[in-house]
Amino acid sequence: MIGEIGHFALILGFFIALAQGFLPLIGTQKNNRHLMTLASSSAIAHFGAVITSFGCLMLAFITSDFSVVNVAQNSHTLKPFLYKVSGVWGNHEGSMLLWVTILALFGATIAAFGSNLPRGLRARVLAIQGLIGSAFIAFILFTSNPFLRLDTAPIEGSGLNPILQDPGLAFHPPFLYLGYVGFSVAFSFAVAALLEGRVDSPWARWVRPWTLASWCSLTLGIALGSWWAYYELGWGGWWFWDPVENASFIPWLIGTALLHSAIVVERREALKSWTILLAILTFSMSLLGTFLVRSGVLTSVHTFAADPERGVFILLLLGAISGGALTLYAIRAPLLVGGGLFSPLSREGALVLNNLLLATCAGVVLLGTLYPLVLEAVGAGKVSVGPPFFNATFIPLVIPILICCPVGAMLSWKRADLAGVFQRLKFVLLFVILIILFTTWMHGVKEVLASLGLGVAAWLIIGSFVQIIERGGFFKVPLAQALTRVFNLPRAAWGMAIAHGSLGILVIGITVSSTWQIEMIQLMQPGETISIQNYKITFKGTNSVTGPNYSGVEGEFSVTRGGKNITVLRAEKRYYPAEQSRTTEAGILSTVAGDLYAVLGEISDSGAWSTRLYFNPLVSWIWVGAILMTVGGLVSLTDRHFRVGSPKSAVKQPLSSPP
Amino acid sequence: MTRKGRRGVFIFSGLGLFSLAAALALTALSDSIIYFYSPTDLIAKKISEAQRVRVGGLVKKNSKFVESDGVTIRFIITDLENEVTVKYKGVLPDLFREGQGVVTEGQFDQIGIFIADKVLAKHDENYMPREVADSLRKSGVWKGPNLK
C-alpha cells in the first residue's frame, strides 16, 4: 500500500509540476495575475507530492518491504538502520527520487520565502523549476521507477554494496545533490531573466544567496566523498580524477566562477552576459555529470548499472534543457546592456580573469573526462586519461588563480592601483619568498614544486587576512579597539577572508601529503616491528570480528613513539555474506601532523601477513581546509545585506515585460 | 579606455589563455594516454617496454601464486583465447577474484611478463569491467547479459 501511495504521489507531482511549468509562463505572457500567482502554490504542492513519495520509499526501506523491487535489490534485514535509510539513495532509482525531491524543495522554498520577488520574475523562475522537475519525474516514472512491485516478495533482499555501508558515504549524496540541484535555482533565475529581457542588481542580489548555499553544500559533498575514498579505498589517496569525481568537480569550478561573477552584477551591473552564461553552464554541467554517472558510458564503483534507455533519456533531457537555455541566451544576450565601464586593471577585471581561468580549468577537466568516451564512440580504441594528464593541465591553470586571489580581493572597483596593492602586500610577499627559500634549503631543489606550493599557500592564507588587519587598524590603534572594529566588520568580509584563507590550508594539505607520503609494503609476522616516520608499529596478530551483517579478521598494530604507547590501529578485512563481497577497512590514526594508515593484506603460507603502512603528512588539512571553506561561505551567507529588505523598484513594475 | 578597447583586452587575454590551455592539454594528452588491450590484442601489437598500457581480462582460475618475498603476486589474465602473465607487488584489491574480470596497468619487461603497478577492480554492479566484457564479446565468448 505504501508503495502505491508513493507511486501515486509521484504521478500527481508530475502533473502539478507540469501545471507549475506552463501556467505561470502563460500568465506572464497574458498579464494574468491569477495564473502567475499559481506558480507559488503549485510549487509548494509539487514539493508536498514529491516528499510524500520520497517518504513512502524511505518507509519501504526501513520496514524492509521486499515486495518493492527497489528495496529487494538494495536492502537486507540485517543492515543497520542508518544504512537502511541511506540505502534509499544508494541506488539509481532512489537517488533520482532524492534528486527531484531536492529540486522540488528549492522550488517550494523560493515560493515560501520569495514573496518580495517581483511577481513576474517569481512566476518565471518557479515555472522553469517546474518544467525541469516534470522532466525528471517523467524520467523516473518511465525508466527508473522505484515503486515497481515484485509478484512474489522474496524473504530477504540482496543487500547494499558493503563499500557504501559507511557513514561518510551515507551523507555524501544528499550534500552533493543539495549542491548540484541547488544550482538549478541559479539556472532558473538566469532563464527567467533572459525571458524578461532584464538582468540587474536586484536580480543578482536574489540569486547570490541561493548560489552560495548550493556552493557550500557541493563543497561539503565533494569533501565528504574525497575523505570517504581516502579511508575506505585503502590506498591513502583521496582524489583519482575518476570521471565521476570530475563530474562533481566541474560544476563546482563553474559554480565558483558564477559566485564571483554575480558580485559584479550586483555591485556594478557589469558582467551580465558572463553571469547568465555561467548560471546556465553550472547546471548544465550538473546535468552532464548526472548523465555520465547513470548512462553506463563509464565504469566505476560510483556508477550505477548500465541501461542505454536511461542514458538516451538523460541525454535528451540534457539537450533540451541546456540546449534550450543556451539558444535563449544566444537570442537574448544582446539585450543585456552592460553597466559601469571599468579598466582591465580593477576588481571587475580581476573577476573576469577569475571567470576565464576557472572556466578554462573546468574545460580542461571536461576534456580529459570526455576524451576517452569520444574516442571510444568513434571507434578509435579504449583509452584512459588519468592523473598524469590532469596534473599536467589543471595545476598550471589553477596556480595563477591562487596567486591572483589575495591581490584581486584587494583591488578597487573601476580602476585599481596595482602597485599600491603590492605595496600593502609587501611583507606577505617577503614572508612567502622566505618560506620558499627555506623549504628548498631543507628539502632540496628536487622538491621545488612543493616549496612553491607552500609559498602559494602562505600567500593565500596571510594575504586573505591583510584587508581585515588593515580595516581593524592593528598596529595603529589600541588592540582592544582594533579587535572591536574587526569584530564588527560585515560578515561578507570575514566570509571572504576565511574562504580564501582556507583554500591555502587546502593547498598545504595537498602539497605536503602528495610530496612526502611514505608507503611501506612488506610481510609481517606477529610480533614484528617496523619504523615509519618517528613511530614504531608492531604487528600484534589477528583476531576475528563480527558485525551486524559481516564477519572478518582484524589485524592489530600497536603504535608507539619515543617509547610511549600511542594507540592500537585496527585494520580489518570483512566479509558480507548477504552481498557476498569483501571490504578492507584501514586502521587510521589522524593527527594534526599527519595520518598513520595501516592496511591488512593477505596471509601467506608461513603465517605472515602482507601489510601496507603509510604515513600521510598533513592530509587532514585537506578536509579541514574544505570544511573551513564551507564555513567561510556560510558566514558570508548570513551577512545582513542578504536579509535586509529586498530591493523593491521605486517605479511601479508592469506585471509582465514585453517579450 | 573605451568599451571596445577593454573588450579587446579581454578577448585577447581570453584567446591567449585558451591557446595556453589547449597547448597544455594536447601535450599532456599525447604523453599520458593509456590504451587498453586484451591478451588477444597484444599478440598483434608490438608493445615496447617503455610504453604504459592497460591489460585486462579474466583472472585464470588457479593461476594466482605468491612469490617467495611474500608480497609479489603472479597471476594470468586470459580472454579465453590468449593469456598474459602479470606480476604485481602489493596488496590486491578486495574485488580481485579468480575467474572474474580485472584491469591492470603497467609495463612489459624484456621477457614478456607484464609488470603491473596498478590493479583496478573498478567495475559496476555486475562485477565485470566494461572493457573486459567488450573484449570477451568480440572474441565471441561472452556468456552474460547483453547490455549494449
Side-chain angles (χ1 to χ4, degrees):
Chain A
M1 190 54 191
I2 297 173
E4 277 63 42
I5 296 179
H7 197 175
F8 180 70
L10 197 58
I11 299 178
L12 198 59
F14 172 66
F15 285 109
I16 299 178
L18 272 182
Q20 180 189 340
F22 286 108
L23 297 178
L25 280 180
I26 298 175
T28 51
Q29 286 302 96
K30 291 191 187 294
N31 237 326
N32 184 326
R33 227 188 66 170
H34 294 293
L35 283 180
M36 284 198 275
T37 44
L38 202 59
S40 302
S41 34
S42 52
I44 296 181
H46 171 194
F47 174 62
V50 173
I51 191 91
T52 307
S53 182
F54 187 72
C56 289
L57 187 62
M58 184 161 303
L59 204 54
F61 265 86
I62 293 176
T63 55
S64 292
D65 180 355
F66 294 124
S67 63
V68 177
V69 174
N70 194 243
V71 181
Q73 285 177 342
N74 297 294
S75 194
H76 194 277
T77 46
L78 289 178
K79 238 176 22 169
F81 183 75
L82 174 63
Y83 304 128
K84 283 190 179 142
V85 169
S86 69
V88 174
W89 53 75
N91 60 81
H92 169 73
E93 295 84 355
S95 65
M96 280 313 305
L97 195 53
L98 179 66
W99 213 100
V100 299
T101 308
I102 294 182
L103 190 64
L105 174 66
F106 275 102
T109 322
I110 297 176
F113 295 106
S115 49
N116 40 31
L117 283 167
R119 195 175 292 117
L121 184 62
R122 184 170 74 234
R124 289 193 171 95
V125 168
L126 289 175
I128 310 286
Q129 287 282 115
L131 285 175
I132 301 176
S134 57
F136 277 92
I137 298 182
F139 172 67
I140 296 181
L141 287 172
F142 290 114
T143 70
S144 329
N145 196 332
F147 295 109
L148 296 174
R149 290 277 193 187
L150 275 177
D151 225 341
T152 357
I155 300 192
E156 193 53 91
S158 322
L160 180 67
N161 186 345
I163 272 190
L164 303 178
Q165 291 184 32
D166 177 280
L169 215 58
F171 292 109
H172 161 70
F175 278 114
L176 213 60
Y177 289 11
L178 277 173
Y180 264 8
V181 181
F183 283 126
S184 68
V185 175
F187 177 87
S188 301
F189 265 100
V191 173
L194 285 174
L195 286 173
E196 271 198 337
R198 183 187 48 206
V199 175
D200 49 19
S201 171
W203 177 89
R205 172 108 60 111
W206 287 307
V207 169
R208 282 184 63 201
W210 298 101
T211 315
L212 193 47
S214 313
W215 179 90
C216 288
S217 192
L218 188 57
T219 309
L220 214 50
I222 296 178
L224 265 176
S226 173
W227 178 56
W228 170 83
Y230 168 73
Y231 69 72
E232 181 61 38
L233 296 181
W235 303 93
W238 46 270
W239 191 260
F240 306 91
W241 293 109
D242 185 86
V244 165
E245 291 173 321
N246 297 345
S248 66
F249 192 46
I250 297 171
W252 187 88
L253 288 167
I254 306 200
T256 307
L258 172 63
L259 214 57
H260 290 83
S261 199
I263 301 177
V264 184
V265 178
E266 189 188 346
R267 296 288 202 91
R268 305 279 301 159
E269 295 229 359
L271 295 194
K272 293 178 185 180
S273 287
W274 258 115
T275 308
I276 297 281
L277 185 60
L278 287 172
I280 296 178
L281 284 179
T282 314
F283 187 57
S284 304
M285 291 297 114
S286 299
L287 289 180
L288 183 63
T290 308
F291 167 69
L292 287 177
V293 172
R294 294 163 196 281
S295 60
V297 296
L298 297 173
T299 19
S300 158
V301 71
H302 272 111
T303 57
F304 304 96
D307 189 340
E309 187 188 58
R310 294 170 177 172
V312 171
F313 202 122
I314 299 190
L315 203 52
L316 287 175
L317 279 182
L318 179 62
I321 298 177
S322 305
L326 287 171
T327 316
L328 185 61
Y329 174 74
I331 301 173
R332 281 297 176 101
L335 276 182
L336 307 175
V337 177
L341 264 182
F342 55 88
S343 141
L345 203 54
S346 61
R347 193 179 286 204
E348 293 98 318
L351 286 173
V352 171
L353 183 63
N354 182 46
N355 282 354
L356 280 171
L357 284 169
L358 279 171
T360 315
C361 285
V364 138
V365 175
L366 188 63
L367 176 67
T369 310
L370 291 181
Y371 192 74
L373 302 178
V374 169
L375 270 197
E376 200 186 325
V378 300
K382 291 187 178 34
V383 301
S384 73
V385 173
F389 169 81
F390 293 101
N391 291 334
T393 50
F394 183 77
I395 296 180
L397 286 171
V398 89
I399 292 190
I401 302 180
L402 300 177
I403 297 180
C404 294
C405 180
V407 177
M410 291 171 66
L411 291 175
S412 38
W413 296 106
K414 196 159 177 177
R415 200 180 335 154
D417 174 13
L418 191 59
V421 170
F422 272 107
Q423 174 73 352
R424 288 149 75 189
L425 288 170
K426 63 175 184 272
F427 289 119
V428 189
L429 195 54
L430 199 58
F431 184 65
V432 164
I433 294 178
L434 282 176
I435 289 199
I436 297 179
L437 290 174
F438 179 69
T439 320
T440 318
W441 174 70
M442 283 274 291
H443 292 280
V445 181
K446 183 164 60 74
E447 314 277 30
V448 70
L449 278 178
S451 313
L452 290 174
L454 288 179
V456 165
W459 176 243
L460 268 171
I461 298 177
I462 307 176
S464 305
F465 282 91
V466 166
Q467 262 188 309
I468 300 227
I469 296 175
E470 283 176 350
R471 286 166 89 167
F474 287 92
F475 312 119
K476 292 201 183 81
V477 297
L479 184 62
Q481 192 181 0
L483 283 173
T484 326
R485 262 199 227 175
V486 141
F487 193 70
N488 288 327
L489 280 175
R491 290 193 193 166
W494 275 105
M496 176 176 84
I498 296 174
H500 290 174
S502 48
L503 194 53
I505 298 182
L506 192 70
V507 171
I508 292 183
I510 295 177
T511 312
V512 172
S513 68
S514 324
T515 317
W516 289 294
Q517 183 195 49
I518 306 176
E519 179 187 33
M520 301 179 68
I521 307 177
Q522 62 281 310
L523 268 184
M524 284 178 98
Q525 289 277 8
E528 236 182 276
T529 305
I530 294 230
S531 279
I532 189 167
Q533 193 62 7
N534 46 5
Y535 292 94
K536 282 204 179 352
I537 310 207
T538 311
F539 180 44
K540 287 293 228 294
T542 58
N543 10 308
S544 55
V545 285
T546 24
N549 54 345
Y550 64 85
S551 65
V553 139
E554 172 192 81
E556 278 188 29
F557 295 85
S558 92
V559 178
T560 58
R561 184 174 55 187
K564 261 185 7 182
N565 268 334
I566 308 279
T567 185
V568 175
L569 292 175
R570 292 171 200 283
E572 293 181 26
K573 290 186 84 71
R574 296 181 183 171
Y575 178 67
Y576 288 79
E579 296 87 352
Q580 289 185 12
S581 68
R582 308 194 133 71
T583 61
T584 317
E585 310 289 324
I588 307 182
L589 169 69
S590 265
T591 66
V592 171
D595 280 16
L596 263 184
Y597 191 103
V599 177
L600 200 61
E602 304 223 334
I603 191 166
S604 70
D605 300 322
S606 58
W609 284 83
S610 66
T611 59
R612 260 201 325 254
L613 296 169
Y614 295 94
F615 182 70
N616 299 315
L618 299 193
V619 78
S620 41
W621 289 45
I622 300 178
W623 332 120
V624 169
I627 294 177
L628 283 179
M629 254 204 297
T630 312
V631 167
L634 290 173
V635 168
S636 263
L637 200 53
T638 56
D639 188 283
R640 265 191 97 229
H641 105 260
F642 284 135
R643 287 174 286 139
V644 169
S646 295
K648 283 186 163 56
S649 293
V651 175
K652 201 136 165 59
Q653 297 273 30
L655 286 173
S656 80
S657 42
Chain B
M1 191 176 278
T2 62
R3 227 186 262 276
K4 212 153 92 165
R6 192 196 71 207
R7 211 183 306 158
V9 170
F10 287 129
I11 294 185
F12 187 70
S13 47
L15 276 176
L17 198 56
F18 178 74
S19 322
L20 170 68
L24 272 176
L26 290 171
T27 325
L29 269 179
S30 57
D31 285 341
S32 58
I33 283 203
I34 301 177
Y35 281 89
F36 169 89
Y37 298 109
S38 68
T40 308
D41 295 333
L42 288 168
I43 308 278
K45 294 229 182 296
K46 300 260 334 91
I47 310 287
S48 75
E49 275 155 50
Q51 207 182 339
R52 272 188 79 82
V53 291
R54 284 190 172 188
V55 178
L58 297 175
V59 181
K60 185 169 174 185
K61 281 212 172 357
N62 300 319
S63 69
K64 190 173 130 198
F65 175 76
V66 182
E67 300 199 342
S68 45
D69 66 358
V71 282
T72 306
I73 302 171
R74 205 152 31 98
F75 56 93
I76 295 181
I77 291 183
T78 173
D79 58 357
L80 303 176
E81 288 205 354
N82 291 291
E83 295 177 353
V84 168
T85 310
V86 179
K87 266 201 211 176
Y88 173 67
K89 178 177 183 204
V91 179
L92 287 171
D94 301 307
L95 301 170
F96 177 91
R97 217 173 292 179
E98 287 181 347
Q100 284 194 356
V102 74
V103 173
T104 59
E105 191 176 304
Q107 292 168 291
F108 277 96
D109 70 5
Q110 296 104 317
I111 52 175
I113 296 192
F114 190 65
I115 312 291
D117 46 51
K118 268 197 253 186
V119 173
L120 304 167
K122 295 200 299 191
H123 49 57
D124 64 11
E125 296 165 14
N126 298 316
Y127 294 100
M128 180 65 66
R130 227 180 75 256
E131 300 97 325
V132 174
D134 285 347
S135 74
L136 286 177
R137 237 180 258 126
K138 251 198 313 193
S139 58
V141 288
W142 179 241
K143 280 197 220 91
N146 237 328
L147 292 177
K148 266 246 164 81

